[in-house]
Amino acid sequence: MEALRQKVKEDGVVIGEKILKVDGFLNHQIDAQLMYDIGETFYEQFKDQKVTKILTVEASGIAPAIMVAYKFGVPCLFAKKAKPNTLNKGFYQTDIHSFTKDKTNSVIISEEFLDEHDRVLIIDDFLANGDASLGLNRLVHQAGAETVGVGIVVEKSFQQGRTRLEEAGLKVSSLCEVASLSGNKVTLVGEE
Amino acid sequence: MEALRQKVKEDGVVIGEKILKVDGFLNHQIDAQLMYDIGETFYEQFKDQKVTKILTVEASGIAPAIMVAYKFGVPCLFAKKAKPNTLNKGFYQTDIHSFTKDKTNSVIISEEFLDEHDRVLIIDDFLANGDASLGLNRLVHQAGAETVGVGIVVEKSFQQGRTRLEEAGLKVSSLCEVASLSGNKVTLVGEE
């Protein structure tokens, strides 16, 4: 994904040492062709895994996830952020802490749309400390389904996300790995 | 969009007389192939309008909007729900009342991504009273841009949305028009 790496370098805005804002093509304005190419790339990587469902969390995960789902020909399911304890009948529910927003959300998926026959590919826009993907993986387990992998658009490799996901037994594939945001500059893995 | 009409009939869950839940293919689990076909249909309808940007609001508008953007080869921009008065520098901002959730959200788009040269196609999943589309249209006007049309996946034709949008001078295209939800049953326009 050289096009993605270039965009992260050129359009990414560094805030502090840990936050990377990519509002120009992923988190606010979205490059649709890039999302399509991302869908194709994850499809190539996971096509032998008998994936039955793509799972993400609203809102920024939806654009890449829907393209992955389109390439696989399977449904895309997005976990919804809900007020805790208002909608817990018929739902799987877990708490996810957002690193960027420093806020914990309760997220839910309806029991209707995930069961023990599902083989799930989790897709998310960012991997920081891994809380979102680990939370989605908990929802998959609540349903008795299996997570076949986690596809990430931009990984901040200097944070603990990958380690935590791999410790949980998850296969992680990231399309762009950021080594550092030091000095107000995006340095990708391989560029250090 | 016969496939869409069938899905609304078969999978739509009627709540009361006014709320239609389509969590099976649009608002929670998403049918990616259907979204692609929706993208193609809106492209055919608006391809002569020199569209430069697709605008929607998070979260359920993103899936159809990204497919429309992909077909047009233009960026997709989604308005973000934000706490009022926390992020008003460099942003266009307006309030949108959600009919379904009975809640008013302040929504924003960054000034960076919309300007007076843009010709905007607004895409949304539902049209009820038109508040979301009218709010997005206000953001377009704040930017000095032009709205060339509003593409809606499911219109509840028994509510005031279309009338209000047309009174505001907007061209509205809906792919599925629901005439009534009376008697706990989905009746489409043309079926009455």
Side-chain angles (χ1 to χ4, degrees), chain B residues 91-154:
Chain B
F91 286 85
Y92 306 116
Q93 181 162 1
T94 194
D95 286 342
I96 291 181
H97 182 77
S98 163
F99 170 77
T100 314
K101 296 180 183 162
D102 192 20
K103 187 183 164 189
T104 297
N105 277 302
S106 185
V107 303
I108 55 172
I109 54 176
S110 170
E111 288 176 6
E112 247 182 290
F113 303 123
L114 204 60
D115 67 30
E116 69 274 18
H117 304 295
D118 278 311
R119 294 176 58 81
V120 178
L121 175 58
I122 292 172
I123 296 289
D124 209 2
D125 55 337
F126 263 90
L127 177 62
N129 288 322
D131 291 301
S133 296
L134 288 167
L136 292 174
N137 187 49
R138 285 193 297 276
L139 295 175
V140 171
H141 284 174
Q142 286 177 34
E146 190 180 340
T147 302
V148 303
V150 179
I152 297 291
V153 180
V154 180

Side-chain angles (χ1 to χ4, degrees), chain A residues 124-183:
Chain A
D124 209 2
D125 55 337
F126 263 91
L127 177 62
N129 288 323
D131 292 302
S133 296
L134 288 168
L136 292 175
N137 187 49
R138 285 193 297 276
L139 295 175
V140 171
H141 284 174
Q142 285 177 34
E146 190 180 341
T147 302
V148 303
V150 179
I152 298 291
V153 180
V154 180
E155 172 183 337
K156 293 189 284 182
S157 303
F158 55 90
Q159 287 180 277
Q160 295 307 307
R162 177 179 287 268
T163 303
R164 292 179 69 206
L165 296 189
E166 289 178 349
E167 280 172 5
L170 293 166
K171 175 176 159 55
V172 181
S173 170
S174 302
L175 302 185
C176 177
E177 294 172 80
V178 177
S180 150
L181 298 174
S182 293

Side-chain angles (χ1 to χ4, degrees), chain A residues 56-58 79-81 93-99 102-108 124 130-139:
Chain A
T56 190
V57 59
E58 64 176 339
K80 294 189 173 199
K81 290 167 187 165
Q93 181 162 1
T94 194
D95 286 343
I96 291 181
H97 182 77
S98 163
F99 170 77
D102 192 19
K103 187 182 164 190
T104 297
N105 277 301
S106 185
V107 304
I108 55 172
D124 209 2
D131 292 302
S133 296
L134 288 168
L136 292 175
N137 187 49
R138 285 193 297 276
L139 295 175

Side-chain angles (χ1 to χ4, degrees), chain B residues 2-181:
Chain B
E2 190 49 38
L4 172 64
R5 288 165 56 91
Q6 275 182 26
K7 277 201 178 268
V8 169
K9 293 280 290 180
E10 285 164 19
D11 293 1
V13 177
V14 178
I15 300 172
E17 296 266 306
K18 291 201 172 168
I19 293 182
L20 173 63
K21 216 172 135 188
V22 288
D23 277 1
F25 61 91
L26 183 57
N27 290 149
H28 183 21
Q29 177 169 266
I30 312 171
D31 183 327
Q33 178 66 52
L34 184 66
M35 294 305 117
Y36 185 88
D37 296 343
I38 285 168
E40 212 152 45
T41 304
F42 283 130
Y43 174 71
E44 286 303 320
Q45 292 179 357
F46 290 96
K47 66 183 173 190
D48 299 328
Q49 293 297 315
K50 299 188 173 66
V51 171
T52 63
K53 209 149 276 188
I54 307 301
L55 178 63
T56 191
V57 60
E58 63 177 339
S60 290
I62 295 175
I66 192 77
M67 289 300 191
V68 180
Y70 174 69
K71 294 305 290 186
F72 273 95
V74 303
C76 172
L77 182 63
F78 67 91
K80 294 189 172 198
K81 291 168 186 163
K83 291 201 184 89
N85 306 321
T86 52
L87 270 175
N88 44 25
K89 193 176 148 284
F91 286 85
Y92 306 116
Q93 181 162 1
T94 194
D95 286 342
I96 291 181
H97 182 77
S98 163
F99 170 77
T100 314
K101 296 180 183 162
D102 192 20
K103 187 183 164 189
T104 297
N105 277 302
S106 185
V107 303
I108 55 172
I109 54 176
S110 170
E111 288 176 6
E112 247 182 290
F113 303 123
L114 204 60
D115 67 30
E116 69 274 18
H117 304 295
D118 278 311
R119 294 176 58 81
V120 178
L121 175 58
I122 292 172
I123 296 289
D124 209 2
D125 55 337
F126 263 90
L127 177 62
N129 288 322
D131 291 301
S133 296
L134 288 167
L136 292 174
N137 187 49
R138 285 193 297 276
L139 295 175
V140 171
H141 284 174
Q142 286 177 34
E146 190 180 340
T147 302
V148 303
V150 179
I152 297 291
V153 180
V154 180
E155 173 183 336
K156 292 189 283 182
S157 303
F158 56 89
Q159 287 180 277
Q160 295 307 307
R162 176 179 287 268
T163 304
R164 292 179 69 205
L165 297 189
E166 288 178 349
E167 280 172 5
L170 293 166
K171 175 177 160 54
V172 182
S173 170
S174 302
L175 302 185
C176 177
E177 294 172 80
V178 177
S180 151
L181 297 174

